[in-house]
Amino acid sequence: MALVIWQIMSERLGWSAGDFAGLPDDVPMAMDTLLPLHYDSQRDGAVRMDPLPHIPDPVVRGNYLRLFVPYLPLRHNKAMAIRCPEALANEDDTGPRARLDCLAAIHAVAIDAKPVDIRFDAAEDPRTGQRGMIAMIPVSDLPVGRHELTLLRAPRNRRKDADEPPKPYRIPFWR
């Protein structure tokens, strides 16, 4: 239990077990930082209290980049109620698609600061069983080299309108 509390507090407060003044922060929103939890090939499969979006590997092979975004009910339900209440209220056959499209708008995915039009499908992380959304993002037109995928975080419930908007997740990758 103490380890879980340490993990949560250190991530939120930027604590570390050493002074790494020459390196960027090791938090999900830091620029120029590769976190193992953003890459399925480097995750250990442990269930986390605050799971992160991830892609298969830092090096993309093929024409599509698979992005998994965990569904966090406390954040996503409130964000959808604010951003697109009509999607939540939709009970007919178009409701599920409307809710997934709303979630895609909330996360505003971009590659190299250029917005990407994505389509989420409901999915489950095979390692952890976490429910979430998957987007298959075409990358065949990207030049060879380093790129950065960004996606907005669903805001926390305690966020106030005057607060600074949440910083995006940043996931570097190479093609």
Side-chain angles (χ1 to χ4, degrees):
M1 181 59 131
L3 181 61
V4 171
I5 292 170
W6 171 258
Q7 178 186 20
I8 292 168
M9 294 302 294
S10 65
E11 186 173 298
R12 292 200 176 135
L13 300 175
W15 295 346
S16 69
D19 184 10
F20 299 93
L23 297 176
D25 290 337
D26 59 346
V27 295
M29 298 72 62
M31 296 179 76
D32 301 317
T33 300
L34 277 74
L35 296 178
L37 291 171
H38 281 307
Y39 307 100
D40 192 51
S41 63
Q42 299 176 13
R43 294 182 318 133
D44 61 7
V47 176
R48 291 180 43 95
M49 297 283 291
D50 194 9
L52 299 178
H54 59 271
I55 62 176
D57 196 73
V59 178
V60 176
R61 292 169 180 81
N63 294 324
Y64 291 91
L65 173 61
R66 180 182 182 269
L67 169 65
F68 178 82
V69 179
Y71 189 90
L72 306 173
L74 291 176
R75 291 187 189 184
H76 285 108
N77 292 349
K78 179 164 185 173
M80 288 194 320
I82 292 167
R83 174 111 186 210
C84 42
E86 68 285 350
L88 283 177
N90 188 339
E91 295 295 328
D92 66 21
D93 291 345
T94 63
R97 175 80 273 148
R99 289 186 283 280
L100 288 165
D101 290 344
C102 175
L103 290 164
I106 287 167
H107 285 290
V109 173
I111 294 179
D112 299 333
K114 295 178 185 124
V116 176
D117 186 24
I118 63 164
R119 177 186 168 107
F120 273 145
D121 288 301
E124 185 175 293
D125 183 331
R127 283 188 194 216
T128 64
Q130 169 74 46
R131 293 193 68 201
M133 299 79 67
I134 283 191
M136 297 299 285
I137 303 169
V139 293
S140 58
D141 291 340
L142 291 177
V144 172
R146 185 188 190 282
H147 299 279
E148 185 176 76
L149 174 92
T150 57
L151 64 151
L152 295 180
R153 301 169 55 172
R156 294 183 184 279
N157 285 335
R158 64 179 178 258
R159 185 176 174 272
K160 297 176 180 55
D161 289 338
D163 289 348
E164 182 178 320
K167 293 180 180 176
Y169 292 111
R170 298 178 177 281
I171 307 175
F173 69 92
W174 285 258
R175 177 151 158 45

